[in-house]
Amino acid sequence: MIFNDFNPLEDKIFRIIDNDGEVINNEWMPTITDETVIKAYKSMLFARTADEMSVSYQRQGRMFTYPPCVGHEAIHIAAGLIIREDDWLVPAFRELGVMLAKGVRMKEIFMYYMGFEQGSNFQEANHVLPICIPIGSQYLHATGIGYSVKYQKKDEVVFPFIGDGGTSEGDFSEALNFAGVWKVPVIFTIQNNQYAISVPVQDQTKSVNLAVKSIAAGLPGVKVDGNDFFAMYAAYQEAAEYARAGNGAVLIEALTYRKGAHTTSDDPTKYRTKVEELEWAKTDPLLRLKKYMDRKGIWNENETELIEQYKQEIDAEFTEAENYTPYQLEDVFKYMYVEMPDVLKKQKADYEQFQNWKESRK
Amino acid sequence: MKYIFNFPDIGEGLEEGTILEWYVAKGQTVKAGQPLVNMETDKVVTDIPSPKTGIIVEIYGNVGDTVHVGKPLVEIETEEALATQNTSVVTEQSKPKPITEGASVMGTMEIADSKAFLPSSEEGAEKQDSKEMKITKALATPLARAMAKEFKIDINKVTGTGPSGRVTKDDIQRFDSVRNNGAVPIKTETTESDFSTDLTTYEPLTQIRKTIARNMLNSKQSAAHMTLFEEVEISELISIRAKFKTQFAEKNVNLTYLPFIVKAIVLALKQHKQLNAQMDLENDRMIHKNRYNICIAVDTPEGLVVPVIKDADKLSIFQIAQKITELSEKARNRKLTLDDLKDGTFTITNFGSIGGIYATPVLNFPQAGIIGIGRIVKKPVVKNDQIVIGNVLPLSLSVDHRIVDGGDVSRFINRIRHYLSDPVLMMME
Amino acid sequence: MSVMTIVQAINNALDIKLEEDKNIVVYGEDCGLEGGVFRVTEGLQKKYGIERVFDSPLAESAIVGTGLGMALSGLRPIVELQFDGFTFPAFNQIISNVSRMHNRSRGKYKVPMVIRFPYGGGINALEHHSESPEALYAHIPGIKVVIPSTPHDAKGLLISAIESDDPVIFMEPKRIYRAIKQEVSEEKYSIPIGKAKVLTEGTDVTVVAFGAMIRECQKAITMAQDAGISVELIDLRTIYPLDKETIAESIKKTGRLVIVAEAPESFGVGGELMAIANEEAFLYLEAPPKRVMGFDTIAPMAKGEHFHLITPDRIFYEIERTVKF
């Protein structure tokens, strides 16, 4: 078992391929077809393309602040391949690839970042919660869902995500602890991308790593090379089996690097160096998987053309989002309660009177 | 379609940028998202991607030039039809505004332009003296204010008799009648609780008493009171009255001398209009009343009330007598309405029916005149140089000397004597 | 004198106090090296060292709770919470302990700490970045709540807050963080907590507001002046304790009150001021007081924010209605 053999207390890291895409840990190589590997790479490529375009749209002034996911693709796509249609995704806000795998459309992502809450009402994705910005709070929700599906005897597993910064929040520890006590089917992922805005993980905790925090909650934990697709895939595969068998929750620390800024309004040059960025760039997930595929000679599609195709698809999604029905006054009130109480009806009516007055003055 | 791409607010604290390198040239085809230019800003060097697919028609600015946000960068010829501007134009309402240099990590922040400059403030650690403020407006409950509005009264002109000088509903009602005829609506408040000691007994003031006090004082302090005394020999009047008394009684009308006095006064007022006027100092004018609404002071157990005979000039003696009977009834039964009490123009106070010969009546402010009728005295008078027994009616006419001059007072009272001494004249003239 | 934005004025206040009092420490998420996500603490770590100006791990409850511990034992901490919507993990520490220590120990322990955070909407932000929670905090007995609207006031009020021996919540209107410039003295000065300020004198109606709304009110006042309405504008500056005297005196003068605030209307500052109008100036009221506040809804995201933000024409609309009552 990965979780047994890679003891986080010894600061072991679970890795299968190196930076050159060479398999260095063959015994742990998961069972996975070449087709799946290719599909994974293409999904990662799509996610990265979408991410880059999102940043570009923001720069063009067509979308507001966006948190880039570039660098996290292996984690996302690996999870995306394991997560089933009925499994639950409980995201923070940097899980684009997993959301896409669950059936969230880029149009919905774009709508959200343009400022339409409607973008969080995923039309085709089942069991995906909206993005959760209050750091760490979503982990508790995941534990609760875990209890619920266990109680209802459903064969569903919960996949919450958090960042390295989030592990300092009380909710993080509480969620793990409860999950341990209740023995719920939850696969907790920490995307340790080294930074919480400007704070490096070394200043976030003096713990040897983040995976060890599972021990305090009585859960198995493992530190994985998050930029290693195969390691992530294997880890999720094992974790899902473990959880579906009723053994309870696990914690996966996925080590990666936040290649982009915290958001499009953040300037990383203030707190980290180009040198560091270049070092980490060598571990890039797409790069490594590509090299693996080249080494095995299993993929021969034209990547450039593929990217072009993705760009068109993504741009079409963006156009759809831009042309979405304009926000109505009613939308401000409609979803506060299942049934609108009188006080809100009155506030809306008063505002409409104001609008009439405004119109009459023109 | 030609599309001009302006240097956008990209939310990185830009007001302007410097062109470092152009990636495209005129005539070149570009795709949406493709980097057009490399710009240097306050903190970062960044590529600006193209929002559209098309051909570069024009490039604005050379390497090294500074471009302000919102100014054109390139012009692109696209294949789109004209009506889809919305894809690139951010609506005004959600237009991201420039953020400041550096980051905010979330949102689009506004930075000050030259107009957003505030004057400096002197305020520091020194003590701020609180200014002593004089409030000259009326205190009143919202209810009282609503009433004042309804009566079209400026509440700030009403003297308040409530706690802390508050203007109450009663004050407003009273003001309303006072401003027209000084009438006091009947109050039925009787809060009598005596607190006695050996030497003194305390009785709380009723609303009526307080109002009367206020009105009396106000009248005395506002008008220049002057009183002229006269006598009228009314034997004629007495016989006429005797003649009709029974007739009137059959119609349930009590015929006193008062109706004749009212008639005489009204006729006199018509010829001496200053006595039916009111001085409006605030607006520098005299208000002449065109109606002749005579107030009759009535004594009731609750106090003095002064109902009004409206348009007395249009009424016959009978009708006046009828009105007086009616109003007295109402007064004693406390059924007088606000309308019965307002809009009076001249007052008669018939104290003689109770007692007293001459008096110096207090004006029913803001009326110009009030006539006091004393008790009829049988006494020797000179008629045709003979001493005979006469029936003398004493008149005490108080006027507001601001409005009425001495000569007019005399002429007015003469006219009244004229009519009362020979009542038939009231019918003839 | 120096031209400053609110961000710079606050930075200057912190600088002055850090220099003056060695027991002051400043911390929060990204406050040290980066100087805060809004750069409010920029340059301070470099000047005063990492022991005095530093980054904390990501945990608001811990930031405030540890701050309390420091305040009880000789330091004067100034802690930063990154955004209004993220102060709530710390709410427990504030309501359960920060606000109570002095009372609990009958005066033996004081809590000379300042909790700062940016608040308010109007920046096209995502959820949780546009909250206006002053009423939630003002309703806690034992703390003070201060909100400046100009660079000059921000500096003076913050210095007062820092020098106060009571715990003070210092809310900074992020929408105008850099939108206003003002000449501010570089010397130390303070503005008393608990004093509102009459910004414009008028006779027809009193408008009370604070923070970013002051600027919107000022625009509305220009509209009102064109309509012949004379408006008296009061900047609250301190939410708790409210300056009842200044407010009451003004209402007595004008007889009308309009309150402008971003937060949801129900159970907020508006209701509190209307209570004051009733308690202190009932007999002077010529129209019912009116609150111009947000809906009882979550602040909409960017595409819907314009419905919710209080604009000058909406303020003018209510001013006119109140005057015409």
Side-chain angles (χ1 to χ4, degrees), chain B residues 99-139:
Chain B
I99 61 164
T100 179
E101 49 270 77
S104 67
V105 98
M106 172 58 63
T108 49
M109 304 274 292
E110 193 186 324
I111 33 170
D113 56 21
S114 52
K115 283 177 282 175
F117 208 91
L118 281 188
S120 59
S121 169
E122 289 299 303
E123 192 186 357
E126 82 271 13
K127 225 169 87 74
Q128 301 281 340
D129 295 317
S130 54
K131 286 186 290 231
E132 178 70 53
M133 212 189 59
K134 207 169 183 308
I135 317 268
T136 52
K137 291 171 30 170
L139 307 182

CSV table of all heavy atoms in Angstrom, one decimal, chain B residues 99-139:
chain,number,residue,atom,x,y,z
B,99,ILE,N,-6.4,49.1,-11.1
B,99,ILE,CA,-6.0,49.0,-9.7
B,99,ILE,C,-4.7,49.6,-9.6
B,99,ILE,O,-4.1,50.0,-10.6
B,99,ILE,CB,-5.9,47.5,-9.3
B,99,ILE,CG1,-4.9,46.7,-10.1
B,99,ILE,CG2,-7.2,46.8,-9.3
B,99,ILE,CD1,-4.5,45.4,-9.4
B,100,THR,N,-4.3,49.7,-8.4
B,100,THR,CA,-3.1,50.5,-8.2
B,100,THR,C,-1.8,49.7,-8.5
B,100,THR,O,-1.9,48.5,-8.8
B,100,THR,CB,-3.0,50.9,-6.7
B,100,THR,OG1,-1.8,51.6,-6.5
B,100,THR,CG2,-3.0,49.7,-5.8
B,101,GLU,N,-0.7,50.4,-8.4
B,101,GLU,CA,0.5,49.7,-8.6
B,101,GLU,C,0.6,48.5,-7.6
B,101,GLU,O,0.2,48.6,-6.5
B,101,GLU,CB,1.7,50.6,-8.4
B,101,GLU,CG,1.6,51.5,-7.1
B,101,GLU,CD,0.9,52.8,-7.3
B,101,GLU,OE1,-0.3,52.8,-7.4
B,101,GLU,OE2,1.6,53.8,-7.4
B,102,GLY,N,1.2,47.5,-8.0
B,102,GLY,CA,1.3,46.3,-7.2
B,102,GLY,C,0.1,45.5,-7.3
B,102,GLY,O,-0.5,45.3,-8.3
B,103,ALA,N,-0.4,44.9,-6.2
B,103,ALA,CA,-1.5,44.0,-6.3
B,103,ALA,C,-2.6,44.3,-5.3
B,103,ALA,O,-2.4,45.1,-4.4
B,103,ALA,CB,-1.0,42.6,-6.0
B,104,SER,N,-3.7,43.7,-5.5
B,104,SER,CA,-4.8,43.8,-4.5
B,104,SER,C,-5.3,42.3,-4.3
B,104,SER,O,-6.1,42.1,-3.5
B,104,SER,CB,-5.9,44.6,-5.0
B,104,SER,OG,-6.6,44.0,-6.1
B,105,VAL,N,-4.8,41.5,-5.1
B,105,VAL,CA,-5.1,40.0,-5.1
B,105,VAL,C,-6.5,39.7,-5.5
B,105,VAL,O,-6.9,38.6,-5.8
B,105,VAL,CB,-4.7,39.4,-3.8
B,105,VAL,CG1,-5.8,39.2,-2.8
B,105,VAL,CG2,-4.1,38.0,-4.0
B,106,MET,N,-7.4,40.7,-5.4
B,106,MET,CA,-8.8,40.5,-5.7
B,106,MET,C,-9.5,41.8,-6.1
B,106,MET,O,-9.3,42.8,-5.5
B,106,MET,CB,-9.5,39.9,-4.5
B,106,MET,CG,-11.0,39.8,-4.6
B,106,MET,SD,-11.5,38.7,-6.0
B,106,MET,CE,-10.8,37.2,-5.4
B,107,GLY,N,-10.2,41.6,-7.2
B,107,GLY,CA,-11.1,42.8,-7.6
B,107,GLY,C,-10.3,43.8,-8.4
B,107,GLY,O,-9.1,43.7,-8.7
B,108,THR,N,-11.1,44.8,-8.8
B,108,THR,CA,-10.5,45.9,-9.6
B,108,THR,C,-10.7,47.2,-8.8
B,108,THR,O,-11.8,47.6,-8.3
B,108,THR,CB,-11.3,46.1,-10.9
B,108,THR,OG1,-12.7,46.1,-10.7
B,108,THR,CG2,-10.9,45.0,-11.9
B,109,MET,N,-9.6,47.8,-8.5
B,109,MET,CA,-9.5,49.0,-7.6
B,109,MET,C,-9.5,50.3,-8.4
B,109,MET,O,-8.9,50.3,-9.5
B,109,MET,CB,-8.3,48.9,-6.7
B,109,MET,CG,-8.2,47.6,-5.9
B,109,MET,SD,-9.2,47.7,-4.4
B,109,MET,CE,-8.1,48.9,-3.6
B,110,GLU,N,-10.1,51.3,-7.9
B,110,GLU,CA,-10.0,52.6,-8.5
B,110,GLU,C,-8.8,53.4,-8.0
B,110,GLU,O,-8.6,53.4,-6.8
B,110,GLU,CB,-11.3,53.3,-8.1
B,110,GLU,CG,-11.6,54.5,-9.0
B,110,GLU,CD,-12.8,55.2,-8.4
B,110,GLU,OE1,-13.7,54.6,-7.9
B,110,GLU,OE2,-12.8,56.5,-8.4
B,111,ILE,N,-8.1,54.0,-8.9
B,111,ILE,CA,-7.1,54.9,-8.4
B,111,ILE,C,-7.4,56.3,-8.7
B,111,ILE,O,-8.1,56.6,-9.7
B,111,ILE,CB,-5.7,54.6,-8.9
B,111,ILE,CG1,-5.7,54.1,-10.4
B,111,ILE,CG2,-4.9,53.7,-8.1
B,111,ILE,CD1,-4.3,54.1,-10.9
B,112,ALA,N,-7.0,57.2,-7.9
B,112,ALA,CA,-7.3,58.6,-7.9
B,112,ALA,C,-6.8,59.2,-9.2
B,112,ALA,O,-5.6,59.0,-9.6
B,112,ALA,CB,-6.8,59.3,-6.7
B,113,ASP,N,-7.6,60.0,-9.8
B,113,ASP,CA,-7.1,60.9,-10.9
B,113,ASP,C,-7.0,62.3,-10.3
B,113,ASP,O,-7.2,62.5,-9.1
B,113,ASP,CB,-8.0,60.8,-12.1
B,113,ASP,CG,-9.5,61.2,-11.8
B,113,ASP,OD1,-9.7,61.9,-10.7
B,113,ASP,OD2,-10.4,60.9,-12.5
B,114,SER,N,-6.7,63.2,-11.1
B,114,SER,CA,-6.4,64.5,-10.6
B,114,SER,C,-7.6,65.2,-9.9
B,114,SER,O,-7.5,66.1,-9.1
B,114,SER,CB,-5.8,65.5,-11.7
B,114,SER,OG,-6.7,65.4,-12.8
B,115,LYS,N,-8.8,64.7,-10.3
B,115,LYS,CA,-10.0,65.3,-9.7
B,115,LYS,C,-10.3,64.8,-8.3
B,115,LYS,O,-11.1,65.3,-7.6
B,115,LYS,CB,-11.2,65.0,-10.6
B,115,LYS,CG,-11.3,65.9,-11.9
B,115,LYS,CD,-12.4,65.6,-12.8
B,115,LYS,CE,-12.0,64.3,-13.5
B,115,LYS,NZ,-13.1,63.8,-14.4
B,116,ALA,N,-9.7,63.6,-8.0
B,116,ALA,CA,-10.0,63.0,-6.7
B,116,ALA,C,-9.2,63.5,-5.6
B,116,ALA,O,-8.7,62.8,-4.8
B,116,ALA,CB,-9.8,61.5,-6.9
B,117,PHE,N,-9.0,64.8,-5.6
B,117,PHE,CA,-8.1,65.4,-4.6
B,117,PHE,C,-8.9,66.1,-3.5
B,117,PHE,O,-9.8,66.9,-3.8
B,117,PHE,CB,-7.2,66.5,-5.3
B,117,PHE,CG,-5.9,66.7,-4.6
B,117,PHE,CD1,-4.8,65.9,-5.0
B,117,PHE,CD2,-5.8,67.6,-3.6
B,117,PHE,CE1,-3.6,66.1,-4.3
B,117,PHE,CE2,-4.5,67.7,-2.9
B,117,PHE,CZ,-3.5,67.0,-3.3
B,118,LEU,N,-8.7,65.7,-2.3
B,118,LEU,CA,-9.5,66.3,-1.2
B,118,LEU,C,-8.6,67.5,-0.6
B,118,LEU,O,-7.4,67.4,-0.5
B,118,LEU,CB,-9.7,65.3,-0.1
B,118,LEU,CG,-10.8,64.3,-0.2
B,118,LEU,CD1,-11.0,63.5,1.1
B,118,LEU,CD2,-12.1,65.0,-0.6
B,119,PRO,N,-9.3,68.5,-0.1
B,119,PRO,CA,-8.6,69.5,0.6
B,119,PRO,C,-8.1,68.9,2.0
B,119,PRO,O,-8.7,68.0,2.5
B,119,PRO,CB,-9.6,70.6,0.9
B,119,PRO,CG,-10.9,70.0,0.8
B,119,PRO,CD,-10.7,68.8,-0.2
B,120,SER,N,-7.0,69.5,2.5
B,120,SER,CA,-6.4,69.0,3.7
B,120,SER,C,-7.3,69.4,4.9
B,120,SER,O,-8.1,70.3,4.8
B,120,SER,CB,-5.0,69.5,3.9
B,120,SER,OG,-5.0,70.9,3.9
B,121,SER,N,-7.1,68.6,6.0
B,121,SER,CA,-8.0,68.9,7.1
B,121,SER,C,-7.1,69.4,8.3
B,121,SER,O,-6.0,69.0,8.4
B,121,SER,CB,-8.6,67.6,7.6
B,121,SER,OG,-9.2,67.7,8.8
B,122,GLU,N,-7.7,70.4,9.0
B,122,GLU,CA,-7.0,71.0,10.1
B,122,GLU,C,-7.1,70.1,11.4
B,122,GLU,O,-6.5,70.3,12.4
B,122,GLU,CB,-7.6,72.3,10.4
B,122,GLU,CG,-7.2,73.4,9.4
B,122,GLU,CD,-5.7,73.6,9.3
B,122,GLU,OE1,-5.1,73.9,10.3
B,122,GLU,OE2,-5.2,73.4,8.2
B,123,GLU,N,-8.1,69.2,11.3
B,123,GLU,CA,-8.4,68.5,12.6
B,123,GLU,C,-7.3,67.6,13.1
B,123,GLU,O,-6.7,66.8,12.3
B,123,GLU,CB,-9.6,67.7,12.3
B,123,GLU,CG,-10.3,67.1,13.6
B,123,GLU,CD,-11.4,66.2,13.3
B,123,GLU,OE1,-11.7,66.0,12.1
B,123,GLU,OE2,-12.0,65.6,14.2
B,124,GLY,N,-7.0,67.7,14.3
B,124,GLY,CA,-5.9,66.9,14.8
B,124,GLY,C,-6.2,66.6,16.3
B,124,GLY,O,-7.3,66.2,16.6
B,125,ALA,N,-5.2,66.8,17.1
B,125,ALA,CA,-5.5,66.5,18.5
B,125,ALA,C,-6.1,67.6,19.3
B,125,ALA,O,-6.5,67.4,20.5
B,125,ALA,CB,-4.2,66.1,19.2
B,126,GLU,N,-6.2,68.7,18.7
B,126,GLU,CA,-6.8,69.9,19.5
B,126,GLU,C,-8.3,69.6,19.7
B,126,GLU,O,-9.0,69.0,18.9
B,126,GLU,CB,-6.6,71.2,18.7
B,126,GLU,CG,-7.6,71.5,17.6
B,126,GLU,CD,-7.1,71.0,16.3
B,126,GLU,OE1,-6.2,70.1,16.3
B,126,GLU,OE2,-7.7,71.3,15.3
B,127,LYS,N,-8.8,70.2,20.8
B,127,LYS,CA,-10.2,70.0,21.2
B,127,LYS,C,-11.1,70.7,20.3
B,127,LYS,O,-10.8,71.8,19.9
B,127,LYS,CB,-10.4,70.5,22.6
B,127,LYS,CG,-11.2,69.5,23.5
B,127,LYS,CD,-11.1,69.9,24.9
B,127,LYS,CE,-12.2,70.9,25.3
B,127,LYS,NZ,-13.5,70.3,25.4
B,128,GLN,N,-12.1,70.1,19.9
B,128,GLN,CA,-13.1,70.7,19.0
B,128,GLN,C,-14.2,71.3,19.9
B,128,GLN,O,-14.8,70.6,20.7
B,128,GLN,CB,-13.7,69.7,18.1
B,128,GLN,CG,-12.7,69.0,17.2
B,128,GLN,CD,-12.3,69.8,16.0
B,128,GLN,OE1,-13.0,70.8,15.7
B,128,GLN,NE2,-11.2,69.5,15.5
B,129,ASP,N,-14.4,72.6,19.8
B,129,ASP,CA,-15.5,73.2,20.6
B,129,ASP,C,-16.8,72.9,20.0
B,129,ASP,O,-17.0,73.1,18.8
B,129,ASP,CB,-15.3,74.7,20.7
B,129,ASP,CG,-14.0,75.1,21.5
B,129,ASP,OD1,-13.8,74.4,22.5
B,129,ASP,OD2,-13.3,76.0,21.0
B,130,SER,N,-17.7,72.4,20.8
B,130,SER,CA,-19.0,72.2,20.2
B,130,SER,C,-19.8,73.5,20.2
B,130,SER,O,-19.8,74.2,21.1
B,130,SER,CB,-19.8,71.2,21.1
B,130,SER,OG,-19.8,71.6,22.4
B,131,LYS,N,-20.4,73.8,19.1
B,131,LYS,CA,-21.0,75.1,18.9
B,131,LYS,C,-22.4,75.0,19.7
B,131,LYS,O,-23.1,74.1,19.6
B,131,LYS,CB,-21.3,75.3,17.4
B,131,LYS,CG,-20.0,75.7,16.7
B,131,LYS,CD,-20.3,76.1,15.3
B,131,LYS,CE,-20.7,74.9,14.5
B,131,LYS,NZ,-20.0,74.8,13.2
B,132,GLU,N,-22.6,76.2,20.3
B,132,GLU,CA,-23.9,76.3,21.0
B,132,GLU,C,-24.9,76.6,19.9
B,132,GLU,O,-24.8,77.5,19.2
B,132,GLU,CB,-23.7,77.5,22.0
B,132,GLU,CG,-25.0,77.9,22.7
B,132,GLU,CD,-25.4,76.9,23.7
B,132,GLU,OE1,-24.5,76.6,24.6
B,132,GLU,OE2,-26.5,76.4,23.7
B,133,MET,N,-26.0,75.8,19.9
B,133,MET,CA,-26.9,76.0,18.8
B,133,MET,C,-28.3,76.4,19.4
B,133,MET,O,-28.8,75.8,20.3
B,133,MET,CB,-27.1,74.6,18.1
B,133,MET,CG,-27.4,74.9,16.6
B,133,MET,SD,-27.8,73.4,15.8
B,133,MET,CE,-29.2,72.8,16.7
B,134,LYS,N,-28.8,77.4,18.8
B,134,LYS,CA,-30.1,77.9,19.2
B,134,LYS,C,-31.2,77.3,18.3
B,134,LYS,O,-31.1,77.5,17.1
B,134,LYS,CB,-30.1,79.4,19.2
B,134,LYS,CG,-31.1,80.0,20.2
B,134,LYS,CD,-31.0,81.4,20.3
B,134,LYS,CE,-32.0,81.9,21.4
B,134,LYS,NZ,-33.3,81.4,21.2
B,135,ILE,N,-32.1,76.6,18.9
B,135,ILE,CA,-33.1,76.0,18.1
B,135,ILE,C,-34.3,76.9,18.2
B,135,ILE,O,-34.8,77.3,19.3
B,135,ILE,CB,-33.5,74.6,18.7
B,135,ILE,CG1,-32.3,73.8,19.0
B,135,ILE,CG2,-34.5,73.9,17.7
B,135,ILE,CD1,-31.8,72.9,18.0
B,136,THR,N,-34.8,77.4,17.1
B,136,THR,CA,-36.0,78.2,17.1
B,136,THR,C,-37.2,77.6,16.5
B,136,THR,O,-38.2,78.2,16.2
B,136,THR,CB,-35.7,79.6,16.4
B,136,THR,OG1,-35.2,79.2,15.1
B,136,THR,CG2,-34.7,80.4,17.1
B,137,LYS,N,-37.1,76.3,16.3
B,137,LYS,CA,-38.3,75.7,15.6
B,137,LYS,C,-39.1,75.0,16.7
B,137,LYS,O,-38.7,74.7,17.8
B,137,LYS,CB,-37.8,74.6,14.7
B,137,LYS,CG,-37.1,75.3,13.5
B,137,LYS,CD,-36.3,74.4,12.5
B,137,LYS,CE,-36.8,73.1,12.3
B,137,LYS,NZ,-36.2,72.5,11.2
B,138,ALA,N,-40.4,74.8,16.3
B,138,ALA,CA,-41.4,74.2,17.2
B,138,ALA,C,-41.0,72.8,17.5
B,138,ALA,O,-40.6,72.0,16.6
B,138,ALA,CB,-42.7,74.4,16.6
B,139,LEU,N,-41.3,72.4,18.8
B,139,LEU,CA,-41.2,71.0,19.1
B,139,LEU,C,-42.6,70.5,18.9
B,139,LEU,O,-43.6,71.1,19.4
B,139,LEU,CB,-40.8,70.8,20.6
B,139,LEU,CG,-39.5,71.5,21.0
B,139,LEU,CD1,-39.3,71.2,22.5
B,139,LEU,CD2,-38.4,71.0,20.2
